[in-house]
Every structure is written in structure tokens, then in C-alpha cells.
Amino acid sequence: MSGDDVIRGFSAMGKSDIDAVWSKKFIREALASGELIASEFIDPASVGLESEWVAAMRHPRLPFVSYPYEWSFNMLKDAALTQLRLTRAALADGVGVKDASPYNVQFVGSQPVFIDAGSFEVRKATDPWYGYKQFCEMFLYPLMLQSYLGVQFQPFMRGAVNGVSPDTMRKLLPMRLLRRRKGRLIHVVLHAAAQNKFADTKVDVKKQSAKAGMSAAVLDATLRKLEKLVGELSLHDKESTWSEYSERAHYVESSLDEKERFVRDAVASSHRHQVWDIGCNDGRFSRIAAAHSDHVVAMDADPLVVDRLYQSLRNEKNKSILPLYVDLSDSGGGIGWRGIERPGIFERGKPDVVLFLAVIHHVAITFNIPVVAQLDLLRDLTPEIVIEFPHADDPMVKRLLLNKRDGIHSDFNLAEFERLLGERFDVRSKMLLSSGTRTIFHATRKN
Amino acid sequence: MFSYLDAGTGSMIVTAIAGGVAGIGVAAKMGLQRFKSKFTGKGGQESDAGESSDGDSSSHD
């Protein structure tokens, strides 16, 4: 990486592929549509690469790197369709795509972008599609879990960097007589059986597939059918805890207006590079922040809420707000090799400002994460916060406390909050919202 | 970067089957090759010289 760019080096072997591939029509079209990340060949020596790197490419740095376990259903679905579309277009141009990993797709705002120029290779007419199994494990099965069973896929994807295996999926997804689970028989049952049956590797699959008459036409038919199958998978959940909720019910409209003004004044005081909106709900405040920053990462602990936000951003072709599913009470760890292959969310960005609106009481009371721990997180994360604190007599706080043991959250009150906040941040401005039970603060970190 | 690919015969056969009419013949042939290899010990590994398999021809990445 150098400055605002990312440099990719190619070895001699990689260079022959990339040279042949880069002249193809599908690459030009994917670059023009933005589906493939902008890429420019440069002299490897000019960026200090050693002589073993015989070619190099420069890409713009992504605003924020996100992972499939942070995406909502329709984000993973759109990433899957991007992968399939590119694989098909490449195939038509005689190019193979080596893998099918959602980690090769990133989102710029609501737009999926394929980032791995190294995935392309010149293919022989009879080569198989090596990415099929990976496509099933990391795109198709997670989407099926959600669409057919109503089970969130995110914990599976976070639990295993390689996704859900055919054998596991077969055990998870039972047959249903009345409403057929499309794709189950071939991609799950047969796939698992074939994996088990032919699990040895002492076979030259390329030769075998050539001998059997594998062709681009066969693979195109497979990819086309997969596109149709994925296209038909949908999110059936219509309601979740927070999707219908909106803390807004607790505000009189004037309260909301004044809160918007407060947030706008705080964020607009200078131009921001990156803003995080933790607990974004429908993205109302993310949009305000987006008007005064390069990009916003909008996080919520409810994947359905995130999905709705994603869909509305996608309809607007928004490229500055990235919606992500992040549960603050269970976030931050890296996964994969040594836990650093895919680093945790806090390692991937440095927000200039964090909006923490109508969140602290949920995390404190429902998840028992002390207010002081939340303020420590914010101090470590960002130099500036806009934070809303509902007082002990706020209707939502009362509701959250209803079934908790008496006295367990007796320190959840405004005076104690202000004391803890003041130890870590300097308060620039604060305002009692007209509901009378919430105070909002704009604060900067103490040096 | 660390993506793991198992281009095993099983997945290859299913890829062909998933192609429907276009792929069914290919899948059948791949299956047949594997079936033969159970008896001959070499059908799955094409070898012009007809040498027996000793496991060193399995390179893919």
C-alpha cells in the first residue's frame, strides 16, 4: 500500500495471465461499469517493488473494507450475483476465474465491486470451474440458510472463514415436500454425497474434465442456472425487534428536529474523512453525516434493519454510506489465519467522528456492558463523539430495566455518565432534548 | 489471498450436473471414469503411457 493507493505485484507467472486477460472485452466493460475495481498498470520499480515482481497494478484504496459476516442478506446476494456475472462474462472471453470468495467483493457505499484482479487466468476450453465449491460454501449456502430456514448466516460466516461445507449444509437443510427448496437436491445433497464419495485428490481433475468433454457451454449453463437460483432467493423476514421499532416513537417531532440540528452542527464543524454511525437504524443521521464527510460506515446490530437501509441506499445508487451488521456487544475479533487474516472491525478504520445515538442504554442494560467500558472504547476509537444519553427516567430505559434485578443498573444515571464522560472527553456542547429525558453531547477526546 | 480451493472430482461432477441438459453427459463420463478407476487403479488419471498411479500426478493449486 502506498498513500491512497493499493499496489498489486505480479510474478512472472501471474504476468503472462494478466497480460492476456487485460486485453479482453469483459475487463473493459467491467472497469467501465465499476463492477471491477479501477486498475492501472504501472512500472513495478517506480513503486519500489523488487525485481521478482515483473508487473504491477495500482488500485484506489477502498473507503472501508467489510466482510461477508457484516453484510445483510441482499448485500451477500448482490455480491454473489456480481461474482457470477463476472465469471460468466470472463468465460465467454476465454478467461477463467480461479475462485469464488465473497472476500473478493467489496462494497463502495451500496455498490459491489470485485477487487481481485489476480483471480483471472487464461483457461483451456475444457477446464472446469474451480470456484464452484467455494461459491456454494460462501455464497449459496449462507443465502439458502436465510431464505429457506430464516436462519441468520452471519454467525456461520464469522465462525468459519471458509463458510459452510456441503456436508454441514446437507445436515442443516432438510427436505420439504410442500414447498420445494430449489437447488437443494443438486447443490447440497448431491454435492455433499459427491464430496464424500470422491474425496481423494490423487486425480488430475483438469485431464479428467477434458476427457469427459467439459466445455465453456456446460459451465455457462451451470452459471446461468446459479444466477437464476440466487436471483430467486429472498429474505422472507418482514419484521425484527428493531425494524418496526425506531426509537423515534419516543420523540416528539420537535425533539427529532433539534437532534438533527445538533448532529449536523457537530459534524459540519469541519470536513470529515470517515464517520461511523453506531446504531444507525434507518440511516437518518448517517445521511446527515454523509453530507459533511467523504464516507460513512453505518452500523446496526439488527441485520434486517441493515438490509432495509442497504436496499434504500442501493436504489439511490449511494456510494458514500456503507451499511454493516455489527453487534457492538460481540465485535472486534479477527478471524482466519492467526486471527489476523481478516482483522476485526476496529482495525479497519479510523473514524474522525463517531455518532453514538440511542445506543448506550441498550448495550449497558441489555448486554451488561458497563457505561465506562463503552466510553473507553469510544476514547480508543475516535477523537470526537456525538453521544445521546437517556436518563434513568426515560421510558425506554424503564422498559429495558423492567425485568432486570432491582438496583443492578443503579449507576445508570446522567450525573454518573457526565462524570465518566468528563474524565475522557471535553464536552463542546450539550443539549437537553425537548422530551426532557435525554441529553445529547458533542465531545472531543482529552489529550 | 488464503482462499482454499478443493477442485475435487465430486464438485466437478456436480458442476456439470448443475448445468442441466448441457452437462449431464459430461457428468456421466466423469463418473464413469471414476467407476473404472476403482477396478483398474488408473482410470481417473489419464496417462498416455499407461503407467500406474503413484500419487504424484495430482498437482493443482
Side-chain angles (χ1 to χ4, degrees):
Chain A
M1 301 214 185
S2 76
D4 280 339
D5 298 322
V6 175
I7 306 295
R8 175 193 298 277
F10 292 90
S11 64
M13 206 168 92
K15 183 179 186 305
S16 67
D17 266 323
I18 203 75
D19 282 348
V21 166
W22 228 249
S23 61
K24 303 286 187 181
K25 185 169 95 178
F26 88 95
I27 290 280
R28 281 199 303 280
E29 288 174 355
L31 284 170
S33 71
E35 204 158 47
L36 179 61
I37 194 163
S39 313
E40 174 200 358
F41 279 105
I42 52 165
D43 175 11
S46 72
V47 286
L49 289 179
E50 291 173 17
S51 59
E52 67 196 272
W53 302 106
V54 297
M57 210 176 241
R58 185 188 354 239
H59 307 294
R61 186 188 293 270
L62 291 161
F64 192 85
V65 172
S66 63
Y67 295 143
Y69 61 83
E70 293 155 352
W71 299 346
S72 71
F73 177 86
N74 276 293
M75 293 174 83
L76 184 64
K77 178 174 167 174
D78 285 346
L81 293 172
T82 299
Q83 177 79 44
L84 290 173
R85 212 163 28 239
L86 260 182
T87 307
R88 267 188 92 187
L91 186 70
D93 264 354
V95 171
V97 182
K98 292 177 201 167
D99 47 16
S101 162
Y103 288 92
N104 285 340
V105 182
Q106 287 295 324
F107 282 86
V108 176
S110 61
Q111 188 184 18
V113 180
F114 189 82
I115 59 160
D116 189 16
S119 280
F120 302 111
E121 64 180 351
V122 177
R123 72 183 290 278
K124 289 203 194 84
T126 54
D127 277 356
W129 175 33
Y130 292 117
Y132 171 69
K133 178 165 166 274
Q134 203 176 26
F135 184 84
C136 289
E137 293 177 332
M138 302 183 75
F139 285 111
L140 183 61
Y141 298 162
L143 291 170
M144 282 178 161
L145 280 177
Q146 180 77 63
S147 182
Y148 291 160
L149 299 174
V151 170
Q152 284 182 27
F153 65 83
Q154 292 89 352
F156 288 85
M157 295 301 277
R158 185 167 167 204
V161 79
N162 293 316
V164 183
S165 74
D167 198 47
T168 302
M169 191 61 190
R170 184 183 58 78
K171 289 167 181 160
L172 289 173
L173 189 67
M175 183 174 71
R176 197 159 125 177
L177 288 175
L178 291 179
R179 226 170 83 200
R180 203 165 67 85
R181 287 171 168 152
K182 223 180 142 194
R184 175 182 171 273
L185 191 63
I186 289 178
H187 298 294
V188 180
V189 178
L190 205 63
H191 196 172
Q195 279 282 313
N196 293 339
K197 183 110 183 117
F198 304 119
D200 67 72
T201 53
K202 292 181 179 177
V203 167
D204 187 333
V205 176
K206 269 192 181 181
K207 280 186 182 170
Q208 200 178 47
S209 99
K211 205 174 165 191
M214 182 63 86
S215 67
V218 171
L219 292 184
D220 188 65
T222 307
L223 289 162
R224 194 179 63 237
K225 282 168 183 286
L226 273 172
E227 267 184 339
K228 186 162 181 289
L229 173 61
V230 170
E232 286 170 3
L233 293 174
S234 69
L235 186 63
H236 297 294
D237 267 345
K238 292 287 177 243
E239 261 182 46
S240 65
T241 318
W242 307 112
S243 64
E244 307 309 314
Y245 155 77
S246 181
E247 195 111 359
R248 315 262 151 77
H250 300 276
Y251 296 110
V252 273
E253 202 50 38
S254 61
S255 241
L256 197 51
D257 284 347
E258 63 195 11
K259 186 168 151 184
E260 278 192 0
R261 264 198 309 278
F262 188 92
V263 171
R264 185 175 292 113
D265 288 348
V267 177
S269 57
S270 63
H271 184 79
R272 317 297 186 155
H273 176 55
Q274 186 175 121
V275 178
W276 288 15
D277 180 4
I278 298 177
C280 63
N281 203 290
D282 62 4
R284 186 164 187 153
F285 297 98
S286 302
R287 290 173 195 278
I288 291 173
H292 305 282
S293 59
D294 294 337
H295 58 271
V296 175
V297 186
M299 307 175 187
D300 203 282
D302 183 331
L304 190 55
V305 162
V306 175
D307 203 65
R308 287 185 181 180
L309 176 58
Y310 169 68
Q311 291 189 66
S312 76
L313 293 168
R314 183 181 61 184
N315 292 341
E316 300 159 20
K317 299 189 174 4
N318 186 303
K319 287 189 184 181
S320 61
I321 300 175
L322 171 66
L324 293 181
Y325 162 67
V326 176
D327 177 351
L328 200 63
S329 71
D330 179 17
S331 58
I335 64 167
W337 177 249
R338 299 184 84 169
I340 55 172
E341 181 184 348
R342 309 293 175 191
I345 189 112
F346 301 119
E347 317 296 319
R348 277 179 266 141
K350 285 192 166 45
D352 306 309
V353 186
V354 171
L355 307 184
F356 208 74
L357 307 172
V359 174
I360 196 163
H361 52 313
H362 293 290
V363 180
I365 298 170
T366 307
F367 296 103
N368 291 318
I369 311 284
V371 166
V372 65
Q374 296 185 57
L375 289 171
D376 280 345
L377 164 74
L378 292 170
R379 181 197 53 200
D380 294 345
L381 181 64
T382 180
E384 200 169 334
I385 55 173
V386 182
I387 187 167
E388 176 183 2
F389 188 85
H391 311 170
D393 61 348
D394 181 81
M396 187 34 118
V397 172
K398 284 185 177 165
R399 191 173 132 190
L400 293 172
L401 282 170
L402 198 60
N403 293 313
K404 295 277 180 177
R405 265 188 296 128
D406 281 346
I408 191 172
H409 291 290
S410 57
D411 57 349
F412 191 89
N413 60 64
L414 184 62
E416 178 64 1
F417 172 76
E418 288 200 85
R419 186 182 73 77
L420 295 169
L421 180 69
E423 285 174 2
R424 293 158 181 81
F425 290 88
D426 294 316
V427 174
R428 299 288 164 196
S429 56
K430 68 173 182 176
M431 181 173 68
L432 175 67
L433 297 179
S434 55
S435 64
T437 61
R438 294 179 172 218
T439 306
I440 186 167
F441 300 81
H442 174 210
T444 50
R445 185 168 55 199
K446 281 188 189 299
N447 286 321
Chain B
M1 166 166 52
F2 292 100
S3 60
Y4 170 70
L5 294 178
D6 170 20
T9 318
S11 290
M12 289 310 126
I13 294 177
V14 181
T15 331
I17 294 175
V21 182
I24 210 80
V26 177
K29 280 183 196 162
M30 287 180 87
L32 195 64
Q33 287 178 44
R34 291 308 312 256
F35 184 70
K36 278 196 224 158
S37 72
K38 294 266 179 225
F39 296 96
T40 62
K42 65 181 180 186
Q45 304 179 42
E46 178 171 300
S47 166
D48 293 337
E51 287 157 6
S52 65
S53 59
D54 55 10
D56 64 353
S57 58
S58 62
S59 64
H60 66 255
D61 54 358

